[in-house]
């Protein structure tokens, strides 16, 4: 039960963070500003941590999500945490390095995370330009 509740809370936090991209007046007037940079960075961090926690929760509950070149990943919880966040960041920001590959349900989750990673900048730029044109 705690597993499913944790998944729901994590997904809810990520959705609420992404939702702010589509709310009016969240992005300030200037296209390039430190405040907008921090705003975009906080969305990325929320999504990265959220997907990392999802990968870790699935692995801890017996679902195979990763295939890593070494078995050091299974040594202790902190190695799992580090690997989960690393894989999440690499998936969100790029196409991956190849040292860890998703398997099973992890493939679909990685595809969803990569899609979100590629659409966040587009949505941010669209929102900033759209807000400037309507003023």
């Amino acid at each position: 039960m705690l597993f499913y509740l944790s998944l729901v809370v994590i997904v809810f936090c990520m959705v609420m963070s992404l939702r702010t991209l589509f709310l009016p007046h969240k992005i300030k007037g200037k296209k390039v500003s430190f405040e907008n940079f921090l705003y975009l960075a906080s969305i990325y961090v929320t999504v990265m941590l959220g997907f990392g926690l999802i990968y870790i929760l699935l692995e801890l509950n017996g679902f195979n999500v990763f295939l890593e070149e070494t078995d050091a990943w299974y040594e202790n919880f902190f190695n799992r945490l580090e690997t989960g966040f690393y894989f999440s960041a690499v998936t969100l920001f790029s196409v991956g390095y190849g040292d860890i590959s998703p398997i099973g349900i992890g493939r679909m989750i990685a595809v969803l995370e990569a899609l979100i990673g590629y659409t966040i900048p587009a949505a941010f730029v669209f929102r900033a330009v759209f807000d400037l044109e309507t003023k």
Side-chain angles (χ1 to χ4, degrees):
M1 178 67 177
L2 183 62
F3 167 71
Y4 295 110
L5 182 63
S6 299
L7 279 178
V8 168
V9 169
I10 292 167
V11 169
F12 176 76
C13 290
M14 288 190 312
V15 167
M16 294 307 288
S17 178
L18 290 170
R19 181 178 157 264
T20 62
L21 278 173
F22 302 101
L23 293 177
H25 308 298
K26 280 292 187 184
I27 299 172
K28 300 299 177 194
K30 291 191 244 177
K31 288 183 186 178
V32 178
S33 71
F34 185 69
E35 185 178 347
N36 284 345
F37 171 75
L38 289 179
Y39 171 69
L40 188 60
S42 69
I43 291 174
Y44 267 118
V45 167
T46 304
V47 172
M48 182 189 70
L49 292 177
F51 274 104
L53 289 173
I54 288 173
Y55 294 132
I56 293 164
L57 280 174
L58 289 171
E59 279 286 336
L60 291 175
N61 283 294
F63 295 95
N64 290 328
V65 180
F66 298 126
L67 182 62
E68 191 175 10
E69 290 180 359
T70 64
D71 289 333
W73 140 259
Y74 291 104
E75 287 179 8
N76 61 32
F77 178 74
F78 292 109
N79 283 354
R80 288 181 179 200
L81 198 63
E82 178 186 2
T83 303
F85 290 145
Y86 166 77
F87 179 73
S88 178
V90 168
T91 303
L92 187 65
F93 297 124
S94 67
V95 294
Y97 289 126
D99 54 345
I100 302 174
S101 56
I103 57 173
I105 189 70
R107 289 181 176 181
M108 290 298 112
I109 297 170
V111 166
L112 179 64
E113 184 178 10
L115 177 66
I116 290 171
Y118 286 124
T119 56
I120 287 174
F124 181 78
V125 169
F126 173 78
R127 188 68 194 174
V129 170
F130 180 72
D131 280 349
L132 286 178
E133 288 178 357
T134 59
K135 291 180 180 180

